[in-house]
Amino acid sequence: MKSSKEMTDSLFDRRDEYMKQQRTRRGLMTAIAGGVGCVALVALVGFGIWGAVNNGMNNPAPTISDMKVIWADSSYMEVTQNGVSTKLENAINSFGKDKVFAILAMPEIDYSFKYQGKTLEELSNALREEVMLPEKLWQLLKSGDFLKYGEALYTTGTPEGEKWDKALYEQQINFFGKDLLEKYIVDGQFLSEKVEQDIEKAEKNNTAQDAYNKAMSAYLEKIASSVNGSMPSQTVPERNAIIIFLTGDAFSEFKADHSEGWIYDLAPKGGNTTQVTVDVMTVNP
């Protein structure tokens, strides 16, 4: 049977692996960076109906005959000061403003948007807490045996001679929060075994993540359905973005709610975008 120290060391080893996996989730909280790459001219082949996701539109998608759409062959992006990537600007200048471009549009998020009674802001805060909870519990596993002494930790010190600076003590109290501390420190006793059990549960919990993803998808679908492009827009929830299909001329006139905060790039073909039968010719703009 493992000793308490061996169990704790094993737990922290698992934490290191868990935090590597969590980097993807934490990336959800940060702005999306991109870059610049080559451009692919994609010719949609044959006659028919664009059967892509219609994002809630009641009207059937337009017939596409001999329509050519300019896509990027790389997701790398550089953004200019006006929010439009140099890759998209170069493509429009190279192929002409009469061509249709697949434009990856990252709208400014309206966090007051409500989904099933909760705003995106509320769901985002819940997600942040869910992502941070395992790390808080790991930190508490280190500090709990000290914090159980309360203010004595910085006034008189512990029976073992441990004494903290008051500022450090208050910083730790603020970090963990009253509710968390009262849950795991009861009658002056630190419930370390309960912390260990709850760490494993917290690692596997994706409830807030799922709720946020559904709300963000609904928000993007609402935005996508409002764009009157050459073809129905598509949503790209994993990038908090939509793909709109506009000619260069239409893009120069494009306006949307809070569009001054949008970021635009030439969309890369593939990923979760709708797949169609295509002939691809890669060119350098």
Side-chain angles (χ1 to χ4, degrees):
M1 182 175 179
K2 289 184 177 181
S3 67
S4 176
K5 181 180 185 304
E6 288 173 332
M7 292 178 65
T8 300
D9 289 343
S10 176
L11 189 63
F12 286 135
D13 288 342
R14 193 170 80 242
R15 181 196 64 171
D16 293 338
E17 179 61 28
Y18 173 76
M19 293 308 294
K20 291 178 183 178
Q21 298 173 0
Q22 285 297 86
R23 287 171 186 165
T24 300
R25 295 185 70 194
R26 291 179 186 274
L28 183 65
M29 301 293 159
T30 60
I32 298 171
V36 66
C38 296
V39 175
L41 175 60
V42 180
L44 304 184
V45 177
F47 296 84
I49 300 295
W50 178 271
V53 179
N54 62 16
N55 297 309
M57 295 182 180
N58 294 322
N59 296 326
T63 300
I64 51 172
S65 174
D66 298 327
M67 181 177 286
K68 295 181 178 180
V69 180
I70 310 300
W71 297 81
D73 63 2
S74 168
S75 61
Y76 189 68
M77 178 181 67
E78 287 182 355
V79 179
T80 61
Q81 290 184 351
N82 63 0
V84 180
S85 73
T86 53
K87 181 169 53 180
L88 178 55
E89 288 183 337
N90 290 340
I92 293 175
N93 291 335
S94 297
F95 293 110
K97 292 187 175 182
D98 59 329
K99 300 297 189 298
V100 176
F101 298 86
I103 300 172
L104 184 70
M106 287 161 272
E108 183 176 18
I109 306 301
D110 178 7
Y111 284 95
S112 67
F113 174 79
K114 278 194 173 183
Y115 179 76
Q116 296 184 345
K118 292 188 176 181
T119 65
L120 273 174
E121 182 177 9
E122 292 171 325
L123 294 169
S124 175
N125 290 337
L127 173 56
R128 186 177 295 107
E129 288 299 316
E130 179 178 274
V131 171
M132 289 299 300
L133 180 58
E135 177 63 18
K136 282 188 175 183
L137 292 178
W138 275 312
Q139 293 296 331
L140 184 59
L141 202 58
K142 297 178 181 178
S143 304
D145 278 322
F146 300 116
L147 293 172
K148 69 183 181 182
Y149 292 104
E151 294 181 356
L153 185 57
Y154 69 84
T155 55
T156 61
T158 72
E160 296 81 13
E162 182 78 15
K163 190 173 183 180
W164 286 12
D165 182 79
K166 181 180 179 181
L168 173 61
Y169 173 81
E170 292 178 344
Q171 184 272 331
Q172 288 286 288
I173 296 298
N174 290 333
F175 173 71
F176 293 115
K178 180 180 177 181
D179 292 342
L180 194 70
L181 291 173
E182 289 182 349
K183 181 178 181 179
Y184 296 107
I185 298 177
V186 180
D187 296 329
Q189 297 298 313
F190 175 51
L191 307 181
S192 59
E193 290 186 2
K194 181 172 177 57
V195 174
E196 292 179 8
Q197 294 170 0
D198 288 352
I199 283 176
E200 187 170 357
K201 296 176 183 177
E203 288 178 350
K204 299 176 180 178
N205 185 24
N206 292 314
T207 303
Q209 176 81 74
D210 293 340
Y212 180 84
N213 288 349
K214 290 177 181 177
M216 181 57 70
S217 292
Y219 175 73
L220 293 173
E221 287 168 4
K222 176 185 176 182
I223 298 296
S225 66
S226 69
V227 178
N228 184 23
S230 300
M231 291 180 287
S233 302
Q234 300 178 26
T235 62
V236 191
E238 67 274 14
R239 297 193 65 179
N240 286 355
I242 62 176
I243 296 179
I244 58 180
F245 299 90
L246 300 173
T247 64
D249 285 325
F251 176 62
S252 65
E253 300 295 327
F254 177 71
K255 295 185 183 301
D257 291 340
H258 308 293
S259 59
E260 66 276 3
W262 287 36
I263 296 175
Y264 304 94
D265 188 26
L266 192 62
K269 186 62 183 170
N272 289 335
T273 59
T274 300
Q275 299 298 304
V276 294
T277 303
V278 297
D279 286 337
V280 180
M281 179 177 65
T282 302
V283 294
N284 293 315

